[in-house]
Amino acid sequence: MHKMIRKITSSLGRHVSTMARGTTQVRRFLHGAYVRIHPSVQEALMEGRPVVALESTIITHGMAYPLNLSMAREVEETVRVNGAVPATVGILRGQIHVGLTDEELEFLASSKNAVKVSRRDFPFVLSQGLSGGTTVSGTMIAAHKAGIPVFVTGGIGGVHREGENTMDVSADLTELGRTPVAVVSAGAKSILDIGRTLEYLETQGVCVAAFGESREFPAFFSRQSGFQAPYHVRDEEEAAKLIDSALGLGLSSGVLIAVPCPQERAASGQVIEEAIQQALSEARSKGITGKEVTPFLLQKLIELTDGKSLDSNLALIQNNAKVGSCIAVALSKIQKTRRKGNLPHQGDTTAPQPVVIGGINVDFIAKAQNPDILGGGQTNAGRVRRTFGGVGRNLADCLSRLGQTPLLLSAVGKDEHLQSVLHYCHHMVSQFKETLCQAPLVCIDGNVPLSTIQYVCQLAKEHQLAVCYEPTDENKASKPFLSDSWKALTYISPNLQELRAINRTLGNPVPAELPSRLEDVVQTAVALACPLLAHLQCVVVTLGTHGVLLCGKSLGGSILLCPGAQEQTAAASLCAAHYPTIPISREEIVNVSGAGDSLMGGILAGMLAKHDTDTCVQMGLLAASLSLCSYEPISPEISTSSVSQEQVKSRSWPEVKVWKMD
């Protein structure tokens, strides 16, 4: 045990919900064959540093070469200077790139055949191996999937003039209504119907705020549009708080921060309006429609204003990049402050850490593209994914995402996978090292050597520690039960097969065949759990699609998860409570390897937060449902906002059935 602790000790810090979302989206996004995230962007996202997404339609369709290239480079540099990492989004040869190299920027800037890519265009462009620039809509999609909450652009699309007749409404508006990304822009392009654009945004549930001292909604080249934004934020801190609130609420809609063009570079509203009317007339006469209208009008405005519109365009883009980067930095500080506020200080002995002792695995999952595997040495096309698992790691991961700070003790191999494991688990690493005997809870899995399990059980007996044992599998389940060590355990979380193996080791009668009908499953589980409750506080039997069965001491109809006072325990009776699963369709399930660990992690996190038993179990069921729909064993979507007492209370739950075991 001591040797193992010396080899590797990782203590787990709280994983902030927004960072958790970002991490999962980065990782899941990388599983696709159509995506590449630049290493600098990926590293920043993993470390919780501010990242700003940038569109590329302005490069491919907004300006001529080489001005477009120098503009793109300058905008990226502005983002860096102001403390964030730029992530220009573009499509290169059928692959979405989040973050571009300088060579890739030049490729898009000089391309003669680049496609303008919005939501509707992705399937065709990617399937045909084409290259293109992403619009506001397309960039929002990529940014959200990559976990980037802030996106800077020049101006958004909107309702075109005479849109009430043509129904020409930009996909940017509907994207803002269904994708939770904050868009920083100089309002809507002045060639549009600003009033109807704001009305449409209201219908889509988009929070719109002007940036600065005025509520005046800017009109791209001009600081005034004649319309007021619903709200305004005075500076980047207020903007960041607004975005943080939107993300924290889990709204599916975006936020629009409208930043006016700098006063000294803004164009005259009257000059721009006269040029727009002339350009619109020419577009109609030439029969220009659809997504070709905006590039035509912007180019025509440059000609008609003798370059004044272009000068304003360059100024507002740079200004938006500066403001957006400052907002991203402020948002990152809010998130980091929240995390620090939930972490214990090194000298704080009032909130000792739970300890998890168990395995870390590197799993390689290969899946053939076709259901029929070809024999005879032929190549079978497919996909290989690398994930990180191990019951102990999974449990610690889940607890850390739910606001706890577990200390993970594990042995790792000194090989090429070591750094990958430590990098993947970086969100769990902190500098706190609480001793085992101070822990409010110790979790141990069946991968741990028998001598270590016995050592932990001895410590638990001497120091009255609460210990949870996760059996891991049918063959390892019985390790603590080979001696009297198991009597020092507090909780175990076996499935029915593991519970039968434990009873077989103890010499108790066991059924030859295990039932499948729910009523029979419950009856069998109760019979197998009953002899263990002479010493254990609670047996949590995971039943797969049937849910979970809690067996233990009950007082007032609720199973007691935490050991109580002697008089309270004496008054309790043995009961079993069945909690059904959250319904999930087969199509939604992508991974079952970590659902049980997520379930137990959620239950234990609730217990450590001193919630009632029903809330604890329902938190576990929420966590399990998220992991079933994740490519990772523990869904990085699990957080203190997605799995919480508030989330539990906001849902309706099926009735919990309780049976007496006495």
Short mmCIF file of all heavy atoms in Angstrom, two decimals, residues 442-473:
data_model
loop_
_atom_site.label_atom_id
_atom_site.label_comp_id
_atom_site.label_asym_id
_atom_site.label_seq_id
_atom_site.Cartn_x
_atom_site.Cartn_y
_atom_site.Cartn_z
N VAL A 442 -13.73 6.70 1.76
CA VAL A 442 -12.68 6.02 1.00
C VAL A 442 -13.37 5.06 0.03
O VAL A 442 -14.21 4.26 0.44
CB VAL A 442 -11.72 5.24 1.92
CG1 VAL A 442 -10.68 4.50 1.09
CG2 VAL A 442 -11.04 6.18 2.90
N CYS A 443 -13.01 5.18 -1.25
CA CYS A 443 -13.55 4.26 -2.27
C CYS A 443 -12.43 3.38 -2.77
O CYS A 443 -11.31 3.86 -3.01
CB CYS A 443 -14.15 5.05 -3.43
SG CYS A 443 -15.48 6.17 -2.96
N ILE A 444 -12.71 2.13 -2.96
CA ILE A 444 -11.69 1.19 -3.40
C ILE A 444 -12.32 0.23 -4.40
O ILE A 444 -13.48 -0.17 -4.23
CB ILE A 444 -11.08 0.45 -2.19
CG1 ILE A 444 -9.84 -0.33 -2.59
CG2 ILE A 444 -12.08 -0.42 -1.48
CD1 ILE A 444 -8.97 -0.74 -1.41
N ASP A 445 -11.59 -0.13 -5.46
CA ASP A 445 -12.17 -1.03 -6.45
C ASP A 445 -11.48 -2.38 -6.44
O ASP A 445 -10.44 -2.58 -5.79
CB ASP A 445 -12.17 -0.40 -7.85
CG ASP A 445 -10.79 -0.32 -8.50
OD1 ASP A 445 -9.90 -1.09 -8.14
OD2 ASP A 445 -10.62 0.54 -9.40
N GLY A 446 -12.06 -3.32 -7.16
CA GLY A 446 -11.57 -4.69 -7.16
C GLY A 446 -10.27 -4.90 -7.90
O GLY A 446 -9.71 -6.00 -7.86
N ASN A 447 -9.76 -3.86 -8.59
CA ASN A 447 -8.47 -3.98 -9.28
C ASN A 447 -7.30 -3.91 -8.30
O ASN A 447 -6.18 -4.29 -8.63
CB ASN A 447 -8.32 -2.84 -10.31
CG ASN A 447 -9.27 -3.01 -11.47
OD1 ASN A 447 -9.34 -4.06 -12.09
ND2 ASN A 447 -10.01 -1.95 -11.78
N VAL A 448 -7.57 -3.40 -7.11
CA VAL A 448 -6.51 -3.20 -6.11
C VAL A 448 -6.09 -4.56 -5.53
O VAL A 448 -6.93 -5.44 -5.31
CB VAL A 448 -7.04 -2.27 -4.99
CG1 VAL A 448 -6.05 -2.16 -3.85
CG2 VAL A 448 -7.34 -0.90 -5.57
N PRO A 449 -4.79 -4.76 -5.27
CA PRO A 449 -4.33 -6.02 -4.67
C PRO A 449 -5.02 -6.32 -3.34
O PRO A 449 -5.40 -5.40 -2.60
CB PRO A 449 -2.83 -5.79 -4.48
CG PRO A 449 -2.47 -4.73 -5.45
CD PRO A 449 -3.67 -3.85 -5.58
N LEU A 450 -5.17 -7.58 -3.04
CA LEU A 450 -5.86 -8.02 -1.82
C LEU A 450 -5.22 -7.42 -0.58
O LEU A 450 -5.91 -6.99 0.35
CB LEU A 450 -5.84 -9.55 -1.75
CG LEU A 450 -6.45 -10.19 -0.50
CD1 LEU A 450 -7.92 -9.79 -0.37
CD2 LEU A 450 -6.30 -11.70 -0.54
N SER A 451 -3.89 -7.34 -0.56
CA SER A 451 -3.20 -6.81 0.63
C SER A 451 -3.56 -5.34 0.86
O SER A 451 -3.69 -4.90 2.01
CB SER A 451 -1.68 -6.95 0.47
OG SER A 451 -1.24 -6.27 -0.70
N THR A 452 -3.74 -4.59 -0.22
CA THR A 452 -4.12 -3.18 -0.09
C THR A 452 -5.54 -3.06 0.44
O THR A 452 -5.83 -2.21 1.30
CB THR A 452 -4.00 -2.47 -1.45
OG1 THR A 452 -2.65 -2.58 -1.92
CG2 THR A 452 -4.37 -1.00 -1.35
N ILE A 453 -6.43 -3.89 -0.08
CA ILE A 453 -7.82 -3.88 0.40
C ILE A 453 -7.86 -4.18 1.90
O ILE A 453 -8.56 -3.51 2.66
CB ILE A 453 -8.67 -4.89 -0.39
CG1 ILE A 453 -8.78 -4.45 -1.86
CG2 ILE A 453 -10.05 -5.05 0.23
CD1 ILE A 453 -9.49 -5.45 -2.76
N GLN A 454 -7.12 -5.19 2.31
CA GLN A 454 -7.10 -5.55 3.73
C GLN A 454 -6.51 -4.43 4.58
O GLN A 454 -6.98 -4.17 5.70
CB GLN A 454 -6.31 -6.85 3.91
CG GLN A 454 -7.04 -8.05 3.32
CD GLN A 454 -6.19 -9.32 3.35
OE1 GLN A 454 -4.96 -9.26 3.41
NE2 GLN A 454 -6.85 -10.47 3.31
N TYR A 455 -5.49 -3.75 4.06
CA TYR A 455 -4.88 -2.63 4.78
C TYR A 455 -5.89 -1.50 4.97
O TYR A 455 -6.02 -0.93 6.07
CB TYR A 455 -3.66 -2.13 3.99
CG TYR A 455 -3.00 -0.90 4.58
CD1 TYR A 455 -2.10 -1.01 5.64
CD2 TYR A 455 -3.27 0.37 4.08
CE1 TYR A 455 -1.50 0.11 6.18
CE2 TYR A 455 -2.67 1.50 4.61
CZ TYR A 455 -1.78 1.36 5.66
OH TYR A 455 -1.18 2.47 6.20
N VAL A 456 -6.62 -1.18 3.91
CA VAL A 456 -7.63 -0.11 3.99
C VAL A 456 -8.74 -0.50 4.96
O VAL A 456 -9.20 0.32 5.77
CB VAL A 456 -8.21 0.20 2.59
CG1 VAL A 456 -9.41 1.14 2.69
CG2 VAL A 456 -7.15 0.81 1.70
N CYS A 457 -9.17 -1.75 4.91
CA CYS A 457 -10.22 -2.20 5.83
C CYS A 457 -9.76 -2.14 7.28
O CYS A 457 -10.55 -1.81 8.18
CB CYS A 457 -10.64 -3.64 5.47
SG CYS A 457 -11.59 -3.74 3.94
N GLN A 458 -8.48 -2.43 7.51
CA GLN A 458 -7.95 -2.34 8.87
C GLN A 458 -7.95 -0.89 9.35
O GLN A 458 -8.33 -0.59 10.50
CB GLN A 458 -6.53 -2.92 8.91
CG GLN A 458 -5.88 -2.94 10.29
CD GLN A 458 -6.65 -3.80 11.30
OE1 GLN A 458 -7.26 -4.80 10.93
NE2 GLN A 458 -6.65 -3.38 12.56
N LEU A 459 -7.55 0.04 8.47
CA LEU A 459 -7.59 1.46 8.81
C LEU A 459 -9.02 1.91 9.09
O LEU A 459 -9.27 2.68 10.02
CB LEU A 459 -7.01 2.32 7.67
CG LEU A 459 -5.50 2.40 7.53
CD1 LEU A 459 -5.13 3.31 6.36
CD2 LEU A 459 -4.85 2.92 8.81
N ALA A 460 -9.94 1.42 8.27
CA ALA A 460 -11.34 1.79 8.45
C ALA A 460 -11.85 1.33 9.81
O ALA A 460 -12.59 2.06 10.49
CB ALA A 460 -12.18 1.17 7.34
N LYS A 461 -11.46 0.14 10.21
CA LYS A 461 -11.88 -0.40 11.51
C LYS A 461 -11.31 0.42 12.66
O LYS A 461 -12.00 0.71 13.64
CB LYS A 461 -11.44 -1.86 11.61
CG LYS A 461 -11.90 -2.57 12.87
CD LYS A 461 -11.46 -4.03 12.85
CE LYS A 461 -11.90 -4.75 14.12
NZ LYS A 461 -11.46 -6.17 14.12
N GLU A 462 -10.04 0.83 12.52
CA GLU A 462 -9.37 1.55 13.60
C GLU A 462 -9.84 3.00 13.72
O GLU A 462 -9.87 3.57 14.81
CB GLU A 462 -7.86 1.52 13.38
CG GLU A 462 -7.25 0.13 13.53
CD GLU A 462 -5.79 0.09 13.11
OE1 GLU A 462 -5.26 1.16 12.72
OE2 GLU A 462 -5.18 -0.99 13.18
N HIS A 463 -10.20 3.61 12.58
CA HIS A 463 -10.51 5.04 12.58
C HIS A 463 -11.96 5.33 12.22
O HIS A 463 -12.31 6.48 11.96
CB HIS A 463 -9.59 5.76 11.59
CG HIS A 463 -8.14 5.68 11.94
ND1 HIS A 463 -7.54 6.53 12.83
CD2 HIS A 463 -7.17 4.80 11.54
CE1 HIS A 463 -6.25 6.22 12.95
NE2 HIS A 463 -6.01 5.16 12.18
N GLN A 464 -12.79 4.29 12.19
CA GLN A 464 -14.22 4.44 11.88
C GLN A 464 -14.42 5.19 10.55
O GLN A 464 -15.19 6.14 10.45
CB GLN A 464 -14.99 5.16 12.99
CG GLN A 464 -15.15 4.35 14.27
CD GLN A 464 -13.87 4.31 15.10
OE1 GLN A 464 -13.28 5.34 15.40
NE2 GLN A 464 -13.44 3.11 15.45
N LEU A 465 -13.69 4.75 9.52
CA LEU A 465 -13.81 5.37 8.20
C LEU A 465 -14.96 4.75 7.42
O LEU A 465 -15.25 3.55 7.55
CB LEU A 465 -12.52 5.17 7.39
CG LEU A 465 -11.22 5.72 7.98
CD1 LEU A 465 -10.04 5.36 7.07
CD2 LEU A 465 -11.31 7.22 8.15
N ALA A 466 -15.62 5.56 6.62
CA ALA A 466 -16.63 5.04 5.70
C ALA A 466 -15.92 4.58 4.44
O ALA A 466 -15.21 5.36 3.79
CB ALA A 466 -17.65 6.13 5.36
N VAL A 467 -16.10 3.31 4.08
CA VAL A 467 -15.42 2.74 2.91
C VAL A 467 -16.46 2.15 1.95
O VAL A 467 -17.33 1.38 2.35
CB VAL A 467 -14.42 1.64 3.32
CG1 VAL A 467 -13.74 1.04 2.09
CG2 VAL A 467 -13.37 2.20 4.27
N CYS A 468 -16.33 2.54 0.69
CA CYS A 468 -17.19 1.99 -0.36
C CYS A 468 -16.35 1.09 -1.25
O CYS A 468 -15.29 1.50 -1.75
CB CYS A 468 -17.81 3.13 -1.18
SG CYS A 468 -18.83 2.55 -2.56
N TYR A 469 -16.84 -0.13 -1.47
CA TYR A 469 -16.12 -1.08 -2.32
C TYR A 469 -16.89 -1.29 -3.61
O TYR A 469 -18.06 -1.65 -3.59
CB TYR A 469 -15.94 -2.42 -1.58
CG TYR A 469 -15.30 -3.50 -2.44
CD1 TYR A 469 -14.00 -3.37 -2.90
CD2 TYR A 469 -16.01 -4.65 -2.77
CE1 TYR A 469 -13.41 -4.35 -3.68
CE2 TYR A 469 -15.43 -5.65 -3.55
CZ TYR A 469 -14.14 -5.50 -4.01
OH TYR A 469 -13.56 -6.47 -4.79
N GLU A 470 -16.20 -1.03 -4.76
CA GLU A 470 -16.79 -1.27 -6.08
C GLU A 470 -16.19 -2.56 -6.62
O GLU A 470 -15.00 -2.62 -6.93
CB GLU A 470 -16.47 -0.09 -7.01
CG GLU A 470 -17.57 0.26 -7.99
CD GLU A 470 -17.97 -0.89 -8.90
OE1 GLU A 470 -17.12 -1.70 -9.29
OE2 GLU A 470 -19.17 -0.99 -9.21
N PRO A 471 -16.96 -3.64 -6.74
CA PRO A 471 -16.38 -4.96 -7.02
C PRO A 471 -15.68 -5.12 -8.37
O PRO A 471 -14.91 -6.06 -8.55
CB PRO A 471 -17.60 -5.89 -6.94
CG PRO A 471 -18.59 -5.16 -6.09
CD PRO A 471 -18.39 -3.72 -6.42
N THR A 472 -15.96 -4.28 -9.35
CA THR A 472 -15.30 -4.26 -10.67
C THR A 472 -15.83 -5.32 -11.62
O THR A 472 -16.31 -5.02 -12.70
CB THR A 472 -13.77 -4.36 -10.55
OG1 THR A 472 -13.32 -3.33 -9.67
CG2 THR A 472 -13.10 -4.20 -11.90
N ASP A 473 -15.69 -6.60 -11.24
CA ASP A 473 -16.27 -7.67 -12.07
C ASP A 473 -16.48 -8.91 -11.21
O ASP A 473 -16.08 -8.96 -10.04
CB ASP A 473 -15.42 -7.97 -13.32
CG ASP A 473 -14.03 -8.52 -12.99
OD1 ASP A 473 -13.90 -9.34 -12.06
OD2 ASP A 473 -13.08 -8.14 -13.68
#
